[in-house]
Amino acid sequence: MRRLITLSYRNPELPPYSVQFAGRRRRVLDLPLIAWLTLIWVLLWSTLTWANVVTGVVVAVAVCLAFPLPQVDLGLRLHFWGILRLAGYLLYDMYTSGVRVTRQIFSDHPHRPAVIGVPLRCRSDLMLAATAVTVSNVPGGSVVEVRRATATLFLHVLDADEPAQLEAARNSVWKLEELTVRAFGTPDEIARVGEPPPPVPGSDHVEEDA
């Protein structure tokens, strides 16, 4: 007997978290998109009620059925345990980095900032962007450039007095890359971040104190 509704976990060809309706024309609904459109509908009405939620779902489904989007696999996967690990590490790293940056600001010892290049193990656009956003959320370092051709992040760090500090900054980026990929990456990307980090080509640009 042919199923009227097929969930994505029953059909690996469907995008994650989607539903396919049987019929002469293939109709696939992206459930995260339905949830997002429903949220926008509720925000437009400025009132959270069951009537607005149900109406929003109906409108979202009708819009997606009337104007179907082309199927595009962004390579995004949601891993619950990985997301929890990433969130916990980010909170811890943001706190410790904030304390360290505060000490640097009030310290009499001069510091030498630097721009360092950190090659990543994953080359997909999605993981490059996600890692860059994750790294930029941690105090003490900011991404100044993402070089797609070589999958390299160029990071401005505040403390580059010793080579060990530069190495620690790179290790922090690689750790955040691993946690980000384990939270949102594909199985191939997760296997890739389990390998040793790539070698660092070239030299770092250290800014001399005036």
Side-chain angles (χ1 to χ4, degrees), residues 7-186:
L7 300 178
S8 57
Y9 76 91
R10 293 182 177 273
N11 186 357
E13 296 182 358
L14 294 176
Y17 307 102
S18 63
V19 176
Q20 178 181 354
F21 293 92
R24 290 182 298 177
R25 300 183 62 183
R26 184 173 181 267
R27 296 293 189 181
V28 178
L29 292 181
D30 190 355
L31 297 183
L33 178 60
I34 298 296
W36 177 248
L37 293 176
T38 303
L39 176 62
I40 294 177
W41 178 269
V42 173
L43 292 176
L44 288 174
W45 285 96
S46 302
T47 304
L48 179 60
T49 63
W50 283 110
N52 283 342
V53 172
V54 173
T55 305
V57 172
V58 173
V59 172
V61 171
V63 169
C64 291
L65 291 177
F67 307 100
L69 296 174
Q71 182 176 340
V72 178
D73 187 4
L74 298 177
L76 178 65
R77 304 293 186 269
L78 301 180
H79 307 284
F80 180 73
W81 177 241
I83 293 174
L84 287 181
R85 288 185 60 197
L86 175 61
Y89 186 86
L90 270 179
L91 290 175
Y92 170 78
D93 201 12
M94 291 171 67
Y95 171 76
T96 56
S97 298
V99 172
R100 185 169 59 252
V101 170
T102 303
R103 289 177 177 174
Q104 291 175 355
I105 293 175
F106 292 99
S107 175
D108 295 332
H109 176 67
H111 297 276
R112 302 171 65 191
V115 175
I116 62 174
V118 185
L120 303 183
R121 287 158 288 190
C122 290
R123 292 179 169 268
S124 68
D125 293 343
L126 181 61
M127 290 300 104
L128 281 176
T131 303
V133 171
T134 304
V135 172
S136 297
N137 284 329
V138 178
S142 58
V143 176
V144 297
E145 181 183 350
V146 179
R147 189 164 297 175
R148 180 185 180 192
T150 58
T152 302
L153 297 184
F154 288 90
L155 185 72
H156 183 273
V157 295
L158 297 178
D159 205 345
D161 296 329
E162 300 176 2
Q165 294 171 328
L166 299 179
E167 189 64 24
R170 289 194 180 94
N171 289 332
S172 177
V173 173
W174 286 325
K175 180 64 175 180
L176 287 173
E177 179 200 17
E178 178 185 354
L179 291 174
T180 301
V181 172
R182 292 187 182 278
F184 305 110
T186 62

